[in-house]
Amino acid sequence: MAKKTLKTFQPDRGYTKEDWDEVGDNPEWTAEDFAKARPFAEVLPDLAASIRRGRGPNKAPTKKLVSLRLSREVIDKYKAGGDGWQSRIDADLRRINKIK
């Protein structure tokens, strides 16, 4: 389903009337325009690479992925504390088992 194009300025959409007026006269693309278009990574390779780079490889993994079944109450309690609940479980288990 195609997105409907806005034909008139509508406030409170994240841009100003000046922004709307600045780009409002951009013409529709033709088949010729699309034929001449090049991929983003080809036009701006350095920027594309920096975006693609992301977090990078974990050269010395300090943690191991495991599957662990915990009670709903335990999970709910940790999740209620917000983001980082998995790390808090790890920290609590390390403390209980006297692991530095």
Side-chain angles (χ1 to χ4, degrees):
M1 185 171 159
K3 217 178 192 182
K4 187 174 181 181
T5 305
L6 298 176
K7 299 295 182 187
T8 60
F9 172 74
Q10 295 179 5
D12 301 321
R13 295 235 174 197
Y15 50 83
T16 65
K17 174 78 165 95
E18 292 77 25
D19 291 337
W20 176 265
D21 292 340
E22 179 82 19
V23 299
D25 61 349
N26 284 346
E28 294 280 332
W29 274 39
T30 65
E32 184 179 331
D33 292 326
F34 280 104
K36 287 192 281 186
R38 296 184 354 222
F40 174 75
E42 184 180 310
V43 177
L44 299 168
D46 293 338
L47 182 57
S50 72
I51 293 169
R52 205 175 314 112
R53 197 169 299 131
R55 184 174 164 185
N58 193 351
K59 295 197 182 345
T62 58
K63 296 182 179 177
K64 182 175 181 174
L65 179 64
V66 298
S67 176
L68 179 65
R69 297 179 68 81
L70 300 171
S71 69
R72 182 177 308 277
E73 295 82 13
V74 169
I75 297 298
D76 290 345
K77 178 74 173 179
Y78 277 95
K79 282 187 172 183
D83 289 344
W85 60 273
Q86 298 98 327
S87 295
R88 287 194 301 279
I89 291 174
D90 181 67
D92 287 349
L93 290 171
R94 293 171 71 80
R95 189 179 63 254
I96 289 167
N97 290 292
K98 297 179 175 79
I99 300 170
K100 291 187 179 192

